Amino acid sequence: MPPTEPAELPALWLRDNCGCPECRDPRTGQKLFQVNELPEKPSVETAELTAGAWEVVWAPDGHRSRYGAEWLTEAAAPDDRTEDAKDLWPTADALGGRLPETTWAAYLEQDGERVGMLDAVRRLGFCLLREVPPHQDQVLEAAHSFGYVRETNYGLRFGVRVEDEPNNLAFTNVRITPHTDNPYRDPVPTLQLLHCLVNDAEGGDSGLVDGFAAAATLREEQPDAFAALTRTPVPFVFRDAVTELRAERPLIGVDPRGRINEVRFNNRSLGTLRRPADEVEAFYAGYRAFAELLLRPERQLEFRLSPGDCLVFDNTRLLHARTAFARGGARHLQGCYADLDGLLSTLAVLRRRPENSMEAAR
Ligand code: OGA
Ligand code: ZN
Ligand code: ZN
């Protein structure tokens, strides 16, 4: 196949991507012009292929650009936040019995381990760091190892243990069914960390469910239900003595191309949907169908956190759960929120080193 020629490509797109020092600041690579400053109808006057790059002279202004021949035909990278960039696991068995896990020491010391864990959060939605010292505030260190902590009304970090005056069922001993955290917050925290300090109680086992996989199944098997959930914003609310939070979002978020990019599911904080009856009925049919899928036992990966285990997971995709535990038993986790953008940035920078690149990982 002959190489794609510049004149075959959308001219404004090509001109907008000129990399010359007049068009882009050489220090930062950032663009120096506005789109409306370009000629309205630029066209390629001459194009010459030399040493793997196209030299283009533009009409009407005689501007000169240079484009790598391979760059011209590069495929678009999938948006890291959508289902297209993920390895979905519709059942726990689909993970093949292997958890993405490593020790805190290996994670800190070896780039390859760190890339593996951060990439597992990107692809699978979670990773498990073992032997993270079971000390107060160590969860903040874990978040700082790849990004930034998101402070909320629960604090910079929060303790998950039985409280006398809980403002959330998480801070009791009852069972917590699969949910995403803080759907009443906008923007929602995109990552959650849970670090186990003590788990001596009977019960208190953990569970994870892939919400994107369930949403994809819903789309396949019950397209009307899927459509109702993507088009109906529902109020999520949280209220205590000093806080009142509210966000309106659909249970399944899709990007402008229709690709799944967010799941919010939390029966504790779903508020009252006040819409015309037909809309409410369509929503409830979809909500029930989605709940039935999400709560199927085979979808849930079950494991138990031991002291030192720190779970890092994508709160826009995975649902997390825990079983009830004996009221007298000692169980104490510390949690905090963080964001995927910081994690994905750390991963991308680590991958600039050739030995950590995508190719090396395969
Ligand atoms: C939470 C939560 C799970 C657990 O704090 O958000 O869901 O294992 N906790 O206690
Ligand atoms: Zn230029
Ligand atoms: Zn939770």
Side-chain angles (χ1 to χ4, degrees):
M1 213 171 67
T4 302
E5 297 197 15
E8 294 166 6
L9 295 162
L12 261 175
W13 169 82
L14 193 61
R15 178 63 186 269
D16 189 40
N17 281 288
C18 178
C20 85
E22 252 174 73
C23 290
R24 277 173 192 266
D25 175 61
R27 295 161 302 180
T28 61
Q30 292 192 330
K31 221 169 262 181
L32 294 166
F33 60 88
Q34 295 285 359
V35 67
N36 57 344
E37 291 163 1
L38 293 176
E40 216 173 294
K41 292 197 163 70
S43 63
V44 173
E45 189 157 279
T46 63
E48 214 176 304
L49 183 61
T50 45
W54 287 97
E55 305 275 355
V56 171
V57 179
W58 291 96
D61 60 353
H63 193 79
R64 286 171 178 272
S65 310
R66 206 181 138 82
Y67 305 96
E70 280 176 18
W71 178 88
L72 282 191
T73 54
E74 245 173 54
D79 176 347
D80 259 340
R81 297 288 288 275
T82 70
E83 58 182 317
D84 292 348
K86 311 296 187 189
D87 292 343
L88 302 187
W89 43 279
T91 62
D93 286 349
L95 289 167
R98 285 192 51 224
L99 296 184
E101 60 179 306
T102 192
T103 64
W104 179 237
Y107 169 85
L108 288 182
E109 285 156 21
Q110 300 166 34
D111 273 3
E113 291 295 297
R114 193 178 286 219
V115 167
M117 290 304 104
L118 301 182
D119 196 46
V121 177
R122 183 184 70 81
R123 286 184 304 109
L124 300 172
F126 72 107
C127 75
L128 188 53
L129 302 175
R130 307 273 199 188
E131 297 169 33
V132 180
H135 305 147
Q136 295 275 346
D137 290 345
Q138 191 68 40
V139 71
L140 300 176
E141 300 280 319
H144 284 141
S145 73
F146 58 73
Y148 306 94
V149 173
R150 174 97 80 91
E151 191 172 10
T152 70
N153 59 300
Y154 299 108
L156 209 49
R157 49 97 175 136
F158 47 88
V160 186
R161 62 175 146 187
V162 176
E163 289 181 5
D164 292 337
E165 305 270 344
N167 67 349
N168 193 306
L169 279 181
F171 311 141
T172 71
N173 67 318
V174 308
R175 167 181 182 222
I176 311 248
T177 52
H179 64 283
T180 61
D181 261 35
N182 290 208
Y184 40 77
R185 202 181 295 288
D186 181 21
V188 75
T190 51
L191 283 178
Q192 184 171 357
L193 289 82
L194 285 173
H195 179 215
C196 179
L197 302 183
V198 181
N199 199 1
D200 283 337
E202 181 150 347
D205 293 344
S206 301
L208 290 173
V209 175
D210 186 349
F212 278 18
T217 306
L218 187 68
R219 179 176 55 200
E220 206 173 293
E221 294 179 353
Q222 300 175 72
D224 292 347
F226 179 84
L229 294 190
T230 57
R231 69 164 181 254
T232 314
V234 290
F236 289 98
V237 290
F238 176 84
R239 191 191 290 263
D240 70 6
V242 293
T243 307
E244 188 154 331
L245 293 161
R246 183 183 164 93
E248 298 235 357
R249 283 288 182 284
L251 299 197
I252 301 174
V254 294
D255 76 2
R257 293 196 177 81
R259 311 308 294 161
I260 297 161
N261 69 359
E262 189 173 348
V263 164
R264 293 193 192 210
F265 189 88
N266 192 319
N267 66 313
R268 282 174 284 149
S269 56
L270 185 75
T272 305
L273 179 64
R274 296 189 189 279
R275 296 290 300 165
D278 54 344
E279 204 180 303
V280 169
E281 278 159 14
F283 167 74
Y284 269 93
Y287 182 25
R288 173 182 286 265
F290 195 32
E292 266 164 17
L293 273 181
L294 282 168
L295 303 177
R296 279 191 194 154
E298 67 270 21
R299 287 196 176 267
Q300 186 163 320
L301 173 70
E302 286 168 344
F303 54 100
R304 186 176 175 82
L305 293 176
S306 299
D309 291 346
C310 183
L311 186 63
V312 181
F313 58 95
D314 180 346
N315 186 52
T316 67
R317 171 180 170 194
L318 299 196
L319 286 71
H320 61 287
R322 71 143 194 257
T323 61
F325 56 96
R327 198 160 163 72
R331 184 175 189 273
H332 185 193
L333 314 183
Q334 276 193 330
C336 72
Y337 299 113
D339 283 298
L340 269 167
D341 60 349
L343 183 147
L344 295 171
S345 164
T346 301
L347 177 61
V349 171
L350 282 165
R351 281 201 158 134
R352 288 181 190 165
R353 301 178 198 158
E355 68 273 22
N356 299 332
S357 69
M358 293 276 226
E359 287 68 32
R362 280 172 214 283

